[in-house]
Amino acid sequence: MTGRADSTVLAGARVVLPAGTVEDGRVIVEGTRIVGGAAEGARSVDLSGHWVVPGFVDMHNHGGGGASFTSGTVDEVLTGIRTHREHGTTTLVASTVTGEMDFLAQRAGVLSELVEQGDLAGIHFEGPFISPCRKGAHSEDLLRHPDPAEVRKLMDAARGTAKMFTLATELPGGIESVRLLAEHGVIAAIGHTDATYEQTVEAIDAGATVATHLYNAMPGLGHRAPGPIAALLEDERITVELINDGTHLHPAALGLAYHHAGAHRVALITDAMDAAGFGDGRYQLGPLAVEVKDGVARLVEGNSIAGSTLTLDTAFHRAVTIDRIPVGDVVQSISANPAQLLGVYDKVGSLDPGKDADLVVLDADFTLKGVMRKGEWIIDPHIG
């Protein structure tokens, strides 16, 4: 058999594929891609007793390693990207927070260059088109209605790299903005919203397809006024983001979402801010001061939760060990589903031959031991 000399066989692990888990499986890497057969003389790495899963795909992330995607320099943004790669996130979307329109347009230009060179998978605008009633860690003074012309301004500034906008779709211009985004193949996500059940249904019918961090920054589920949560959980067209850090969600709420929506409609995200992978202390989230204590980020003024310090390896570990979600379902939620939503499933999101060699090695206790991106070890498992 012919092949490149840099062919590597990862052998002996439990390999999670879309069709199921293969015991004593193997993944063959040649150059930057996964291939179907090994070249003669390929190097073998014994991963017995471990799991091999696809690299994680985070579609909602504001920073890490002390760096903010909203305000950091290019080098700082790259530091944040590297931090999350070291925790298994091989594909990442940069999320902004509410700011002045001209500033957000300028940031879109900076981040779009990193998308174009392959460091990011796209840009997510979270704010300023959100409800002051559910603003969370966003500056109320900078919020605005989702005027389609202003949504279009940010889309244009992103030069085709905008992947998602979070909108309070009940606000004036909300439904028209959803339609605009859907027409251009950009995800319209319902979040930071005070919408009723009926208003949420209207937005879904207009083309919204994602719930931004379900449960958080929206009215709670009520038996007479079910609000957005019921509408988002029940509709097969919606994928629900979940922040599984033990702070944003009670395990029962996460379990309810998995049970009602199904693993095929869940996307595990971090909603990380720059403290992720960096530590406690004082930070800025846009114009707002944040205090991180014991790994929990809260606004200095008002004490609202301000994003997370989560990394996706921790979200994976919690989902399997604490929430008792089957491994295959977690892989679907943390890799395949977000890759499909972002339109990159032809390259990432599973361990199928032909895709990028993006993968994570976990030990028997689901602790991260190795990360490979495009055929190169970011963290070498030093096994076998």
Side-chain angles (χ1 to χ4, degrees):
M1 177 175 217
T2 60
R4 290 172 49 139
D6 57 357
S7 183
T8 302
V9 180
L10 309 178
R14 291 177 171 175
V15 178
V16 182
L17 302 173
T21 300
V22 178
E23 303 285 341
D24 193 21
R26 65 181 195 165
V27 177
I28 303 167
V29 176
E30 190 170 277
T32 64
R33 299 192 178 279
I34 298 169
V35 296
E40 185 176 345
R43 171 175 173 260
S44 182
V45 179
D46 183 6
L47 294 178
S48 299
H50 290 71
W51 294 81
V52 176
V53 301
F56 307 145
V57 180
D58 193 353
M59 57 188 281
H60 187 158
N61 186 314
H62 298 278
S68 166
F69 296 153
T70 298
S71 59
T73 65
V74 169
D75 285 344
E76 288 169 342
V77 172
L78 289 170
T79 294
I81 293 168
R82 283 194 297 271
T83 297
H84 285 283
R85 285 179 183 170
E86 290 168 358
H87 291 274
T89 298
T90 51
T91 301
L92 185 147
V93 169
S95 302
T96 63
V97 296
T98 294
E100 296 281 2
M101 285 294 296
D102 288 344
F103 174 77
L104 290 174
Q106 183 269 336
R107 290 305 298 175
V110 172
L111 295 171
S112 65
E113 292 182 10
L114 294 173
V115 178
E116 289 160 2
Q117 66 189 39
D119 292 299
L120 291 170
I123 302 170
H124 163 218
F125 293 97
E126 186 181 23
F129 310 117
I130 60 175
S131 172
C133 302
R134 304 287 173 177
K135 64 183 184 297
H138 292 256
S139 177
E140 184 168 353
D141 293 342
L142 298 175
L143 300 182
R144 46 210 305 134
H145 292 159
D147 179 347
E150 294 197 324
V151 171
R152 184 61 187 262
K153 175 181 177 178
L154 294 183
M155 287 174 56
D156 291 344
R159 303 198 302 264
T161 67
K163 290 290 187 178
M164 183 163 68
F165 281 72
T166 292
L167 309 171
T169 54
E170 75 279 9
L171 296 176
I175 297 301
E176 292 81 3
S177 292
V178 169
R179 293 195 181 107
L180 171 70
L181 293 167
E183 288 169 4
H184 287 83
V186 179
I187 296 166
I190 300 171
H192 287 275
T193 176
D194 204 41
T196 64
Y197 174 90
E198 291 76 15
Q199 288 171 326
T200 306
V201 170
E202 182 183 10
I204 297 170
D205 287 341
T209 56
V210 166
T212 293
H213 43 54
L214 186 75
Y215 301 112
N216 297 111
M218 60 182 65
L221 184 65
H223 64 290
R224 291 194 182 91
I229 293 172
L232 294 164
L233 279 177
E234 73 183 8
D235 199 302
E236 283 292 321
R237 295 170 290 183
I238 291 290
T239 297
V240 297
E241 294 182 345
L242 299 175
I243 308 170
N244 192 22
D245 62 353
T247 298
H248 281 78
L249 296 177
H250 189 284
L254 181 132
L256 175 66
Y258 265 97
H259 175 77
H260 202 77
H264 67 290
R265 287 181 47 220
V266 171
L268 293 177
I269 61 162
T270 61
D271 193 19
M273 47 91 69
D274 35 347
F278 201 67
D280 289 356
R282 280 285 184 107
Y283 296 87
Q284 286 293 128
L285 189 61
L288 303 178
V290 175
E291 179 78 28
V292 178
K293 184 177 180 180
D294 298 327
V296 178
R298 293 186 178 275
L299 292 182
V300 172
E301 298 290 335
N303 207 38
S304 293
I305 295 175
S308 85
T309 62
L310 184 64
T311 52
L312 281 182
D313 57 332
T314 297
F316 192 110
H317 188 272
R318 284 187 58 88
V320 175
T321 62
I322 295 175
D323 305 306
R324 302 297 178 183
I325 307 296
V327 175
D329 288 353
V330 178
V331 168
Q332 186 172 15
S333 302
I334 211 167
S335 299
N337 293 348
Q340 288 168 343
L341 282 165
L342 296 172
V344 294
Y345 190 65
D346 59 327
K347 298 178 181 178
V348 300
S350 75
L351 298 175
D352 292 317
K355 294 194 176 185
D356 291 348
D358 291 2
L359 57 88
V360 175
V361 179
L362 306 167
D363 67 14
D365 295 322
F366 301 100
T367 299
L368 184 143
K369 293 297 180 182
V371 181
M372 176 182 283
R373 184 175 188 269
K374 294 186 183 296
E376 293 188 9
W377 288 114
I378 293 170
I379 296 179
D380 192 325
H382 299 300
I383 301 168

